[in-house]
Amino acid sequence: MIQSVARAVDILRCFEEAETLGISEIATKMQLNKSTTFGLVTTLAATGLLEQEAETSRYRLGLELFRLGNRVSPGLRRLVSQELDGLLAVVEETVNYVQPEGGNVVYLVKKESPHSMRICTQIGQRLPMYCTAVGKAILAFTPEPERSRITGGFDYKAFTKNTVSSESALLQDLAQIGRDGYAVEREELEYGLVCVAAPILDITGRAVAAVSCSGPVGRMTDVKIQQCRAALLQYSRRLSGVELHL
């Protein structure tokens, strides 16, 4: 591994939780001195992968990243987007397509609810598997020993009082999800949010992605959850017939 390249990638990842960062903030996150950080950041800015705000001198992700990202499997992205359009028309709540990355899920395609009250996920956002319906749906259909490695690596941070608090509790949830074929998350990540998710499987039965339907607790009644469940299972089974690696 080339250290400078790895550091550059890690700098870009610093922006996952912050829209803009200064040199000192990046240096602290990277545990590097400011001169080394400045050299890496200015190189990334020169290539367009980062941009510097003239008013604040802070940095943000550049348009070159957006351009390159849109070149990743555009045909498959269009296919998933079209399927989610159909799903959105049925459930009328925010729908998402995610893929796993380590112990996280990454949101790759999102279709907004037509309602004014919406869910604040973002394309490219990473969230932990243990407290998300999409993450649990994927984990439930992840073979051992990989699943044990992932579930044993979480810190089980409590986002709400409903967040799963231990590996043993998570494994109980995963066993039930494995039997049901779908997952429901009730205010584990955020108060007021309910999410239903179904896995997308490859030919071996391993989860390679998941689709979800999310909405506020006031709209996500038991009847609505069952409506979402039926629609998600239909669409996930259809997508499971396609190799999906966006």
Side-chain angles (χ1 to χ4, degrees):
M1 179 184 297
I2 301 174
Q3 186 182 58
S4 59
V5 175
R7 284 176 171 175
V9 172
D10 287 340
I11 285 174
L12 296 175
R13 287 174 174 160
C14 287
F15 290 85
E16 290 179 356
E17 298 179 357
E19 186 174 345
T20 66
L21 292 168
I23 292 292
S24 295
E25 292 169 304
I26 297 171
T28 299
K29 286 176 176 288
M30 292 289 296
Q31 298 183 336
L32 294 172
N33 62 57
K34 290 178 66 173
S35 61
T36 300
T37 303
F38 181 78
L40 291 165
V41 168
T42 53
T43 300
L44 288 169
T47 62
L49 297 176
L50 289 179
E51 293 178 354
Q52 188 176 31
E53 296 181 336
E55 305 83 4
T56 66
S57 296
R58 293 168 68 82
Y59 291 85
R60 61 174 178 247
L61 295 177
L63 286 176
E64 182 65 9
L65 270 179
F66 179 78
R67 187 188 71 80
L68 291 172
N70 281 331
R71 298 301 301 161
V72 179
S73 302
L76 288 175
R77 195 177 295 274
R78 282 194 297 271
L79 170 62
V80 171
S81 182
Q82 290 166 5
E83 290 293 331
L84 290 193
D85 282 336
L87 181 59
L88 176 63
V90 173
V91 300
E92 295 187 331
E93 296 292 349
T94 298
V95 293
N96 297 287
Y97 170 88
V98 310
Q99 285 188 352
E101 184 182 81
N104 297 319
V105 288
V106 184
Y107 287 75
L108 296 175
V109 184
K110 176 184 179 181
K111 299 290 182 176
E112 292 278 13
S113 163
H115 301 290
S116 58
M117 186 181 295
R118 299 175 178 177
I119 307 305
C120 295
T121 52
Q122 299 177 351
I123 301 300
Q125 184 175 14
R126 287 168 171 78
L127 291 173
M129 284 183 167
Y130 69 89
C131 59
T132 55
V134 281
K136 290 183 181 182
I138 290 171
L139 278 175
F141 294 88
T142 297
E144 297 288 4
E146 182 181 358
R147 181 166 67 182
S148 291
R149 178 183 58 78
I150 295 172
T151 60
F154 294 129
D155 61 3
Y156 295 97
K157 170 187 173 183
F159 291 89
T160 75
K161 67 178 183 180
N162 298 322
T163 306
V164 65
S165 59
S166 66
E167 184 178 11
S168 60
L170 176 60
L171 292 177
Q172 289 181 9
D173 285 353
L174 298 183
Q176 185 64 52
I177 294 165
R179 291 190 290 269
D180 295 340
Y182 68 98
V184 180
E185 177 256 303
R186 301 176 188 267
E187 299 183 280
E188 287 191 47
L189 178 68
E190 180 182 341
Y191 287 117
L193 171 65
V194 175
C195 183
V196 188
I200 296 171
L201 309 178
D202 65 15
I203 59 173
T204 70
R206 175 197 182 92
V208 295
V211 285
S212 69
C213 167
S214 302
V217 66
R219 290 202 303 263
M220 295 295 283
T221 63
D222 289 342
V223 171
K224 187 59 176 282
I225 286 172
Q226 289 306 309
Q227 178 193 19
C228 290
R229 176 197 64 80
L232 285 166
L233 289 174
Q234 175 186 349
Y235 278 84
S236 67
R237 286 166 183 159
R238 185 149 65 221
L239 288 170
S240 291
V242 182
E243 283 293 329
L244 290 169
H245 298 288
L246 298 186

